[in-house]
Amino acid sequence: MPEQSYRTWLAGSTAVGLSDDELIVEAPSDFHVEWVEDKYGPSLRDILRKLSGRPVSLTFQACAQSASPDELRSPMVPSLEVSPSTTTTGLRVEEPRADGHGFDRRTPSAKSAPSLNERYTFGRFVVGNNNQLAAAAGHAVAERLGRVYNPLFVYGGVGLGKTHLMHAIGHEVIERGPHTEVAYVTTERFMNELVSAIQTGTTRDFRRRFRHIDLLLVDDVHFLEQKESTQEEFFHTFNALHDAGKQIVLTSDRPPKELPGVEDRLVSRFEWGLVVDIKPPDYETRVAILQKKAFDDDLVLDPDIIDFVARSCTSSVRELEGAVIKLLAYSSLRNEEINLTLARTALQSVLRPGALSEGPSVSAERIREEVARNWNVKPDGLASKRRTKDVMIPRQVAMYLIKEMLDESLVRIGRLFGGRDHSTVIHSIRRVQAEMHEDDDFAHRVNRIRQKLEA
């Protein structure tokens, strides 16, 4: 077997019982048991027969003290743990959500709210440039409940850590005040609970449950769109809690102003506190994720493989997570060590276009040359100190395309253009983004250059 396959699937197993005709082996989880039985069971039984010299059955069972299915959804993807004081760039890998998330009222006798995922804590939330402000706001809310950033509205794409941060706030609040009442609910669950209460005539109980708590965590509020009755009830719940000085934390895939079908009065309340976003991790952060995962899983991943995956999977942490799962599974099934050739084959269905080429499909120099040609200026002029419009615009476009297509660091991009600092690069990228949004002809010109480079 490849060494990493052995470490992933068999190293954690232990023989716990032996009789004349049966060997019982404990694996860390049901997931391990199913995988080993399916992929390695016949071979292991054959080896056991040869070693013992007689027919002996082999039985696998999950460890009696193993974690719940929600905590062991995949043995190949552990959470990335860091100490609370860690400030290095990185991002935790967000696990898929557990089923059954819904309302849970905090009781003094409970260790923590059951609806909060035990793995989603601040200790496992690695802070990077893409989520620094959101993480800081989360800590501030947990430390001064109801007194700062109320509500806290966190938005961002799928798989970037919004739910993890929300749960982390809940855990921290409970840790600081064991008698604090915390409720976590998805917007869909809130709506279903409301419908059920209306049907059964228990709306008074429904309101009492949600309006007498210290911290309300509501996930995916974009699902309020076009739900008039739910919006009405949520509006009054929000007001009751806010007026009482209770904390509200909300997440969405869009900022409040971009939620069509949500009443203006709700949108205005969402903006009362602090609105922060979580962006996709940059290249350095993605590399940090892969390096940390390799360390935690005791895997041997060469730098070229880490670079290949980090440059190919750029949209979200979940995409990166899925690539690692598929790479490990493919290595195990093929009984091959992980190398760049295997990675290209295994991940061809999840990688962005152009990632499978043997070398970089485009370079920073190539982008700079193509942009300069399109604007009829010399490539060297883009790195000069000139600030005339005929040079500044293509320089900004080149910076934008290098960041978008290659995801180079801001510092490196600045060096490519005469040693400009990262703030200048950020300003240039934002200027291009704004111009593309306002000017369709300009956007078409930039996109045409990009398509040519990708081709």
Side-chain angles (χ1 to χ4, degrees):
M1 298 176 63
E3 183 179 355
Q4 57 262 43
S5 297
Y6 170 79
R7 288 174 177 172
T8 300
W9 301 112
L10 295 182
S13 301
T14 307
V16 295
L18 176 63
S19 63
D20 290 338
D21 59 356
E22 183 182 31
L23 175 65
I24 301 174
V25 177
E26 272 194 352
S29 71
D30 289 330
F31 194 94
H32 283 81
V33 171
E34 292 178 14
W35 186 277
V36 173
E37 282 276 16
D38 183 46
K39 307 302 178 187
Y40 304 115
S43 298
L44 293 172
R45 289 184 176 86
D46 186 52
I47 293 170
L48 180 60
R49 259 193 318 271
K50 292 177 181 177
L51 289 173
S52 63
R54 65 181 188 277
V56 179
S57 64
L58 180 61
T59 302
F60 284 93
Q61 64 185 35
C63 178
Q65 310 239 323
S66 63
S68 67
D70 286 340
E71 293 173 329
L72 284 170
R73 205 168 280 103
S74 170
M76 298 177 289
V77 192
S79 285
L80 302 186
E81 295 191 46
V82 295
S83 65
S85 61
T86 296
T87 57
T88 54
T89 299
L91 191 78
R92 67 95 186 96
V93 175
E94 184 178 358
E95 300 261 346
R97 287 190 196 168
D99 292 332
H101 278 322
F103 172 82
D104 179 85
R105 182 165 175 156
R106 168 71 181 155
T107 57
S109 60
K111 175 64 178 172
S112 64
S115 59
L116 295 179
N117 190 316
E118 295 293 339
R119 301 176 71 89
Y120 290 171
T121 64
F122 280 124
R124 290 186 168 103
F125 191 86
V126 182
V127 179
N129 294 329
N130 60 310
N131 60 8
Q132 209 164 34
L133 179 58
H139 278 288
V141 164
E143 291 169 5
R144 304 181 63 190
L145 202 64
R147 289 178 288 170
V148 296
Y149 310 141
N150 195 17
L152 174 61
F153 190 104
V154 183
Y155 72 92
V158 174
L160 298 182
K162 302 185 301 297
T163 299
H164 185 132
L165 181 59
M166 174 177 280
H167 284 230
I169 294 171
H171 285 303
E172 181 70 13
V173 167
I174 291 171
E175 187 71 23
R176 289 173 172 272
H179 296 279
T180 307
E181 294 188 7
V182 175
Y184 166 78
V185 64
T186 64
T187 302
E188 182 181 13
R189 185 62 178 266
F190 183 91
M191 180 179 65
N192 292 338
E193 294 255 353
L194 174 60
V195 171
S196 177
I198 293 173
Q199 292 174 342
T200 57
T202 57
T203 52
R204 181 175 296 180
D205 293 337
F206 172 85
R207 289 166 182 163
R208 188 183 302 115
R209 288 164 59 198
F210 282 101
R211 298 183 188 182
H212 296 83
I213 53 179
D214 301 300
L215 171 61
L216 177 62
L217 308 166
V218 184
D219 219 350
D220 298 331
V221 295
H222 49 272
F223 285 117
L224 284 172
E225 295 173 8
Q226 310 301 334
K227 309 293 191 307
E228 295 180 4
S229 298
T230 305
Q231 288 186 41
E232 179 73 21
E233 186 63 39
F234 189 78
F235 173 78
H236 293 297
T237 297
F238 184 102
N239 285 344
L241 290 173
H242 196 276
D243 291 346
K246 307 301 183 181
Q247 181 69 49
I248 303 165
V249 180
L250 312 164
T251 72
S252 172
D253 63 357
R254 282 156 284 172
K257 288 187 181 299
E258 296 180 15
L259 294 174
V262 175
E263 296 177 5
D264 290 342
R265 58 178 181 171
L266 265 180
V267 171
S268 68
R269 280 160 176 77
F270 291 164
E271 296 177 326
W272 274 356
L274 177 66
V275 178
V276 294
D277 67 331
I278 297 181
K279 298 182 177 68
D282 57 19
Y283 171 76
E284 290 84 356
T285 303
R286 297 195 300 273
V287 168
I289 294 169
L290 293 168
Q291 290 174 337
K292 186 68 165 63
K293 285 178 67 61
F295 177 80
D296 288 347
D297 279 358
D298 202 16
L299 299 172
V300 179
L301 292 179
D302 293 336
D304 58 343
I305 295 174
I306 290 177
D307 177 76
F308 172 71
V309 178
R311 291 189 181 280
S312 301
C313 302
T314 61
S315 63
S316 73
V317 180
R318 286 184 186 168
E319 182 188 31
L320 195 64
E321 176 189 70
V324 174
I325 292 174
K326 188 163 186 178
L327 184 58
L328 286 171
Y330 202 83
S331 170
S332 179
L333 290 170
R334 293 276 294 267
N335 200 32
E336 296 178 15
E337 297 288 347
I338 295 177
N339 54 42
L340 192 55
T341 301
L342 183 138
R344 293 181 188 280
T345 304
L347 305 181
Q348 57 184 334
S349 64
V350 298
L351 302 179
R352 61 177 173 78
L356 295 174
S357 58
E358 290 299 324
S361 58
V362 65
S363 65
E365 186 61 32
R366 176 78 180 89
I367 292 173
R368 196 168 63 172
E369 289 175 356
E370 183 60 32
V371 172
R373 189 198 64 77
N374 194 275
W375 258 269
N376 199 28
V377 297
K378 293 182 178 180
D380 291 344
L382 301 187
S384 70
K385 299 298 182 182
R386 291 170 54 196
R387 297 179 58 85
T388 56
K389 189 174 181 180
D390 65 316
V391 172
M392 282 187 62
I393 293 177
R395 178 188 296 145
Q396 292 171 344
V397 170
M399 289 181 177
Y400 166 79
L401 288 174
I402 290 173
K403 184 62 179 174
E404 284 289 303
M405 299 181 69
L406 304 182
D407 203 13
E408 290 284 5
S409 69
L410 298 174
V411 173
R412 174 162 165 71
I413 295 174
R415 290 186 189 138
L416 292 170
F417 293 87
R420 287 171 167 80
D421 61 39
H422 74 283
S423 61
T424 300
V425 177
I426 292 174
H427 172 74
S428 298
I429 292 171
R430 288 177 176 171
R431 282 292 301 271
V432 173
Q433 290 172 332
E435 190 68 21
M436 290 177 69
H437 182 72
E438 297 172 2
D439 187 339
D440 290 341
D441 291 337
F442 180 78
H444 181 69
R445 187 177 188 180
V446 174
N447 287 329
R448 191 169 62 244
I449 295 173
R450 179 170 184 165
Q451 290 167 3
K452 182 175 181 179
L453 289 165
E454 289 177 339

